[in-house]
Amino acid sequence: MAGFTMELSDEQKEVRDWLHGFAADVIRPAAAEWDEREETPWPVIQEAAKVGIYSLDFYAQQYFDSTGLGIPMAMEELFWGDAGIALSIVGTGLAAVGVLANGTEEQIGTWIPQMYGDTNDVKLAAFCSSEPDAGSDVASMRTRAVYDEAKDEWVLNGTKTWATNGGIANVHVVVAVVDAELGSRGHASFIVPPDTPGLTQGQKFKKHGIRASHTAEVVLDNVRVPGSCLLGGKEKLDARLARAREKAKKSGAGVPRAGGRESVKNAAMATFEASRPAVGAMAVGTARAAYEVALEYAQTREQFGRPIIDNQGVAFQLADMRTSIDAARLLVWRASWMAVNGKPFTAAEGSMSKLFASETAKKVTAQAIQILGGNGYTREYPVERMHRDSAIYTIFEGTSEIQRLVIARTLAGMPIR
């Protein structure tokens, strides 16, 4: 077990500095253009693939970092560059985590490489869980997967929404209901291979922020996938469903209690649990970027014959901003360290990290605009874009309200639905 330390290793610092350089030299100069275009920044993704950032090997190295800090460190630096472009670069990772969390070794080896492609032929992947009527309420999911035993195929029908890379991805990971009576415990995840008939892109959303990241509906109309595309395999699914049915008979409601990794009983929750601190790290990166712009502006902008940072009204805001950013990072690091070392989230530490970092990003970016005054409200300065981008952190992968609910119910020893 890796001991907790506040100091990054020399190797981690080298990776951090390399990512920071890419974010500063490649991502930031392209940020405003792709935000305005509202399109996937393929040239930047290809450049990331060329240098090794958009690759299975890179994310595997960070994911399996024994300290747990590899992924949050990478997310913070990339999102410091720009949230929209960074999400386009890392969006495939959510689908990859879904396979890592639920798939067999064979499935991991087969499908994750196809999610990234190579430097000459870059691919994308999409994780599809949310639905028009089932966002935070995963138990209300309507997408169905029915097993055709004669053909050893699963037939998927339904509509997914808010899917990053949805419809344009090479590989889609889709969460569907296999037993409606079991609620969220009756869900399973499926790989939908490239060019599978019946999968189409629905509405592409025009968003308030993270506009360089493609977000769309995914429509599944009698989509047939081989039995081997059920993540984890049918034997494992049948055993899990049998246990869930037996528990439901004994306890009535039978919803599992939240906690560490061992308590996760459905595919979507396993994926979100693994990725939630990483979202907190994204928020820290955006907040830090806005803070740095505001700090530099306050040091150089003069009013009444002196820099505005000499005014307590500005200086105190910057002090609070930096304090909140550092606190958010520490919560993210703690949750990441706990996850990689198998420590149970007995106080919902993963949700704590995402909640606090998300709210910090919204507040800090708003404060940055205030410090820049009228300039901060224009697109001539990046804090306006950062503020728009920050709004997503309190919404996706569980709203702030859901995080508070998870934390409160965990503290009270109540079940999580």
Side-chain angles (χ1 to χ4, degrees), residues 320-321 324 358-368 387 390:
D320 287 343
M321 292 160 74
S324 295
S358 298
E359 295 292 340
T360 293
K362 282 187 68 174
K363 183 177 180 180
V364 166
T365 54
Q367 289 175 304
H387 185 51
S390 70

Side-chain angles (χ1 to χ4, degrees), residues 78-96:
L78 292 173
F79 280 73
W80 172 90
D82 176 68
I85 292 179
L87 191 56
S88 288
I89 294 173
V90 308
T92 290
L94 184 58

Side-chain angles (χ1 to χ4, degrees), residues 87-342:
L87 191 56
S88 288
I89 294 173
V90 308
T92 290
L94 184 58
V97 168
V99 176
L100 284 170
N102 304 294
T104 64
E105 289 187 8
E106 182 179 358
Q107 289 169 331
I108 291 170
T110 298
W111 293 110
I112 293 185
Q114 294 188 49
M115 294 179 173
Y116 288 96
D118 55 46
T119 55
N120 297 316
D121 187 18
V122 173
K123 303 295 186 182
L124 299 175
F127 182 74
C128 307
S129 177
S130 293
E131 298 184 0
D133 296 319
S136 300
D137 183 11
V138 294
S140 296
M141 190 176 293
R142 296 182 180 179
T143 296
R144 295 291 188 266
V146 178
Y147 185 56
D148 183 340
E149 189 171 0
K151 295 184 177 180
D152 186 27
E153 292 180 337
W154 289 89
V155 185
L156 279 63
N157 283 282
T159 299
K160 295 297 182 177
T161 193
W162 308 121
T164 299
N165 298 332
I168 66 172
N170 188 57
V171 177
H172 291 75
V173 177
V174 177
V175 182
V177 178
V178 294
D179 188 329
E181 293 183 358
L182 294 176
S184 62
R185 290 177 297 167
H187 296 175
S189 283
F190 300 84
I191 293 284
V192 180
D195 303 317
T196 299
L199 186 149
T200 57
Q201 178 184 309
Q203 175 187 4
K204 177 187 175 182
F205 296 105
K206 296 181 71 67
K207 305 187 298 294
H208 175 66
I210 55 168
R211 301 198 304 192
S213 174
H214 176 96
T215 310
E217 290 181 333
V218 173
V219 180
L220 303 142
D221 183 10
N222 287 321
V223 172
R224 286 183 168 268
V225 300
S228 60
C229 287
L230 166 64
L231 289 182
K234 194 167 188 305
E235 183 177 343
K236 183 178 179 181
L237 172 66
D238 288 343
R240 176 166 63 82
L241 294 178
R243 290 194 302 270
R245 293 185 189 110
E246 184 63 26
K247 184 173 182 179
K249 288 180 181 179
K250 292 180 178 179
S251 63
V255 181
R257 178 179 176 177
R261 292 181 183 274
E262 70 278 4
S263 69
V264 177
K265 301 299 184 184
N266 70 77
M269 287 303 219
T271 301
F272 288 139
E273 180 195 17
S275 62
R276 198 157 274 166
V279 176
M282 297 173 189
V284 171
T286 300
R288 189 183 112 211
Y291 159 77
E292 290 176 1
V293 173
L295 176 62
E296 181 180 6
Y297 186 88
Q299 290 172 324
T300 57
R301 172 69 168 175
E302 292 191 0
Q303 289 288 283
F304 306 105
R306 60 180 182 175
I308 62 173
I309 198 171
D310 287 350
N311 299 310
Q312 285 187 346
V314 173
F316 284 6
Q317 282 196 76
L318 289 164
D320 287 343
M321 292 160 74
R322 177 59 186 267
T323 300
S324 295
I325 291 167
D326 283 11
R329 182 185 297 109
L330 289 174
L331 283 171
V332 167
W333 282 18
R334 179 183 69 169
S336 301
W337 177 84
M338 290 176 67
V340 81
N341 285 289

